[in-house]
Amino acid sequence: MICAVHSLDALTLLDAVADSICIVDGIWRISYANTHAIAEMAGGTGLVGMDLWEAVPGIEGSNFGEVCRRCMTDRLPRDVEGYFAPLGNWLSIRAIPLSEGIAVLFRTITPQKQSESALRTSEQRFRAMFDTLGRGILFYDGDGRIT
């Protein structure tokens, strides 16, 4: 059974999700932006009606812009993750084709990237320590078992 969702309910749902969401029409005009997208991209100012390439400086020549263009052209969902200098954040973006344009869902993943980097640094430090030791080291847990 197919359930029709009232447009106001759909907009409420789009605002409630954690991702930032923009809907872009076939001529690259932003036709919808949820509150997260407005806060993240425009510092609280309106995005609706703006050209995507003007509303988000730096996106046009980036991997993010390329993913949007490819999604619009080949009508296939596309994903990309990377650092976006104009916003000063690592982003994860998913572009999804719609009947008359694309939806762009994105979220800041900077905290995850910082955690990954800290873990890599710690692993490298411990690996270097073990590689330079001339003797073995044993680690014991609280019960005296070698771990």
Side-chain angles (χ1 to χ4, degrees), residues 89-90 108-117:
N89 281 315
W90 283 84
T108 299
I109 57 169
T110 301
Q112 294 93 317
K113 289 295 185 180
Q114 289 170 336
S115 293
E116 290 170 10
S117 177

Side-chain angles (χ1 to χ4, degrees), residues 22-65:
C22 287
I23 297 176
V24 181
D25 66 19
I27 58 170
W28 299 104
R29 187 178 49 238
I30 299 171
S31 58
Y32 172 80
N34 71 357
T35 54
H36 299 296
I38 292 169
E40 182 80 21
M41 293 176 18
T45 63
L47 291 170
V48 175
M50 295 182 71
D51 179 88
L52 175 69
W53 312 115
E54 293 173 8
V56 187
I59 193 173
E60 192 161 6
S62 71
N63 290 341
F64 303 111

